[in-house]
């Protein structure tokens, strides 16, 4: 598929017609195990569904193709992050993480992996000199999130790769998606996704993915995947794969709606610090009445998460980012985050207008 353009890959990646009946979409292989004709005589690596499952394998091939590397899928974005970090780092190693990041990533590093001997430094990765200064001889991994969550800063991935001192560079590509940013092509070693968000795109599944450039590293990630066992079920893989096939169309619609909403917001009195990275559907702004206004919207549902076809609104400090309170990544209480869906832009603007007026 590598010779085709992105839209063609998105529609076809990972899919072969079902061999027995020719179904254009392969069936959901809802099976935990596979019959062996004789001991050790089974198809490819399909001996048990924690190790491998055809529906998952199709999704893994697809995400790998879209990001340009070797894909593995997990039961959540956090499980994907855990697998990658533990495949790359040992106790005593040091990692560099951003000072504005998904709260769960901070919690995993600070509350779980630190207890197992992983050390970390948080830096503002928009300042590459600070990144250089944070690198130690034992730095194994530089973790990048771009755009950052929730303040939507865009990080220079090739710049980070240059300053990483040979450390492994992993990029959380959840907000940008491979439609707008393919970190492996920018020199990074790995990409992580919460497939729960834009890749799945319909708010009906929790899942995650890791894509790495190097085949040996891929084996290490798969080893953790099988050893820890945080694998997605076949139905979830099917749902995410179906979502992937319209990723390029949805992202264009999310981007257009976020552009209209952010331009409108920047003219509204009382609204400050409107941020939109110029692509994707995420917008943030500050407003003194943040907590009250998010419960007045009707088209934007008040909910955590993002990246689905429906618009969502939230207050990060009180909702998604509780785990970074008191750290360098703490967010202001008056910050509102929008995930602009694919509804009519006029309806999104009208909804925000009535919520801001009341
Ligand atoms: C949601 C999210 C995660 C975690 O993914 P889950 O699927 O919820 O486990 C990681 N990174 C970013 C940027 C996210 O938005």
């Amino acid at each position: 598929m590598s010779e085709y353009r992105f839209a063609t890959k998105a529609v076809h990646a990972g899919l072969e017609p079902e061999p027995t009946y020719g179904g254009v979409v392969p069936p959901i292989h809802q099976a935990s195990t596979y019959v062996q004709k004789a001991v050790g005589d089974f198809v490819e690596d399909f001996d048990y569904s924690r190790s491998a499952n055809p529906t998952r394998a199709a999704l893994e091939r697809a995400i790998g193709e879209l990001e340009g590397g070797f894909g593995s899928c997990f039961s959540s974005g956090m499980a994907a992050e855990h697998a990658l970090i533990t495949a790359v780092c040992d106790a005593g190693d040091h990692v560099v993480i951003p000072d504005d990041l998904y709260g769960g990533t901070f919690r995993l590093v600070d509350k779980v992996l630190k207890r197992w001997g992983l050390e970390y430094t948080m830096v503002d990765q928009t300042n590459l000199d600070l990144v250089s200064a944070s690198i130690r001889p034992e730095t194994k991994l530089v973790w990048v999130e771009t755009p950052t969550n929730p303040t939507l800063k865009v990080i220079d991935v090739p710049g980070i790769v240059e300053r990483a001192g040979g450390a492994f560079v992993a990029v959380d590509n959840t907000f940008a998606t491979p439609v707008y940013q393919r970190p492996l092509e920018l020199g990074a070693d790995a990409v992580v996704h919460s497939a729960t968000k834009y890749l799945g795109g319909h708010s009906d599944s929790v899942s995650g993915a890791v894509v790495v450039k190097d085949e040996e590293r891929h084996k290490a990630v798969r080893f953790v995947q099988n050893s820890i066992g945080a694998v997605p079920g076949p139905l979830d893989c099917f749902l995410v794969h179906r979502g992937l096939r319209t990723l390029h169309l949805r992202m264009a619609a999310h981007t257009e709606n976020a552009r209209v909403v952010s331009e409108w917001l920047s003219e509204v009195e009382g609204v400050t610090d409107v941020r939109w990275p110029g692509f994707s559907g995420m917008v943030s702004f500050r407003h003194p009445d943040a907590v009250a206004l998010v419960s007045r919207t009707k088209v934007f549902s008040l909910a955590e998460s993002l990246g689905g076809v429906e618009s969502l609104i939230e207050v990060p400090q009180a909702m998604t980012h509780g785990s970074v309170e008191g750290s360098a990544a703490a967010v202001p209480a008056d910050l509102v985050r929008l995930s602009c869906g694919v509804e009519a832009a006029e309806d999104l603007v009208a909804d925000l207008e009535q919520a801001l007026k009341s």
Side-chain angles (χ1 to χ4, degrees):
M1 292 288 312
S2 55
E3 70 275 28
Y4 294 111
R5 289 171 181 78
F6 190 88
T8 310
K9 286 193 207 174
V11 173
H12 294 282
L15 292 172
E16 295 289 340
E18 183 277 318
T20 310
Y21 300 103
V24 289
V25 177
I28 302 167
H29 283 268
Q30 196 72 45
S32 60
T33 191
Y34 310 85
V35 175
Q36 305 189 9
K37 291 197 184 70
V39 175
D41 182 3
F42 48 84
V43 178
E44 297 170 29
D45 51 352
F46 300 111
D47 60 344
Y48 181 60
S49 275
R50 169 159 40 71
S51 319
N53 172 278
T55 314
R56 192 176 96 214
L59 178 63
E60 290 174 330
R61 280 198 304 277
I63 298 181
E65 271 178 37
L66 297 185
E67 287 286 7
F70 299 96
S72 312
C73 291
F74 294 86
S75 54
S76 68
M78 290 317 305
E81 294 191 15
H82 172 265
L84 182 62
I85 297 173
T86 54
V88 171
C89 298
D90 295 309
D93 287 341
H94 171 252
V95 301
V96 175
I97 59 174
D99 72 347
D100 177 42
L101 79 172
Y102 180 68
T105 304
F106 176 71
R107 183 174 54 199
L108 171 65
V109 171
D110 179 62
K111 297 285 187 302
V112 180
L113 298 175
K114 200 173 86 178
R115 291 195 288 113
W116 293 82
L118 193 69
E119 293 188 33
Y120 73 88
T121 305
M122 289 177 108
V123 290
D124 174 1
Q125 298 183 343
T126 58
N127 183 338
L128 294 176
D129 290 337
L130 293 180
V131 175
S132 295
S134 68
I135 303 291
R136 307 182 194 165
E138 63 277 19
T139 305
K140 265 291 181 53
L141 170 66
V142 178
W143 189 269
V144 180
E145 196 178 291
T146 178
T148 63
N149 179 359
T151 61
L152 305 174
K153 292 188 267 196
V154 175
I155 307 299
D156 169 9
V157 174
I160 299 269
V161 170
E162 213 170 276
R163 306 294 188 104
F168 192 89
V169 176
V171 177
D172 184 334
N173 207 27
T174 300
F175 277 29
T177 81
V179 172
Y180 297 117
Q181 171 175 275
R182 289 186 289 280
L184 300 185
E185 291 175 7
L186 301 174
D189 299 293
V191 174
V192 171
H193 277 279
S194 169
T196 313
K197 316 291 170 54
Y198 286 112
L199 298 190
H202 294 74
S203 307
D204 51 11
S205 163
V206 172
S207 52
V210 171
V211 183
V212 297
K213 197 152 52 182
D214 175 68
E215 193 162 8
E216 283 309 305
R217 192 71 72 169
H218 176 58
K219 287 183 189 151
V221 171
R222 291 204 84 89
F223 186 82
V224 176
Q225 181 194 42
N226 189 41
S227 305
I228 300 292
V231 291
L235 177 60
D236 288 287
C237 293
F238 174 86
L239 289 169
V240 172
H241 206 152
R242 183 156 84 160
L244 272 189
R245 307 186 79 189
T246 54
L247 181 65
H248 54 302
L249 302 175
R250 289 185 287 105
M251 292 315 292
H254 286 298
T255 295
E256 176 57 13
N257 280 354
R259 183 186 66 74
V260 172
V261 163
S262 60
E263 280 174 8
W264 178 79
L265 277 171
S266 18
E267 303 291 313
V268 177
E269 208 181 317
V271 170
T272 54
D273 204 8
V274 178
R275 296 188 187 200
W276 173 55
F279 55 89
S280 197
M282 303 305 294
V283 172
S284 70
F285 65 91
R286 296 176 72 169
H287 190 280
D289 201 20
V291 172
L293 88 86
V294 299
S295 55
R296 291 197 291 256
T297 53
K298 298 187 175 82
V299 182
F300 282 89
S301 300
L302 175 59
E304 302 196 1
S305 198
L306 62 114
V309 288
E310 64 284 286
S311 293
L312 302 179
I313 191 166
E314 68 131 357
V315 179
Q317 193 215 31
M319 297 172 68
T320 48
H321 283 68
S323 54
V324 295
E325 265 307 278
S327 83
V331 292
D334 61 354
L335 186 74
V336 176
R337 189 185 78 178
L338 305 177
S339 171
C340 297
V342 302
E343 303 94 334
E346 296 84 344
D347 290 333
L348 298 185
V349 166
D351 190 37
L352 291 170
E353 188 170 22
Q354 64 80 24
L356 281 157
K357 234 184 338 217
S358 325

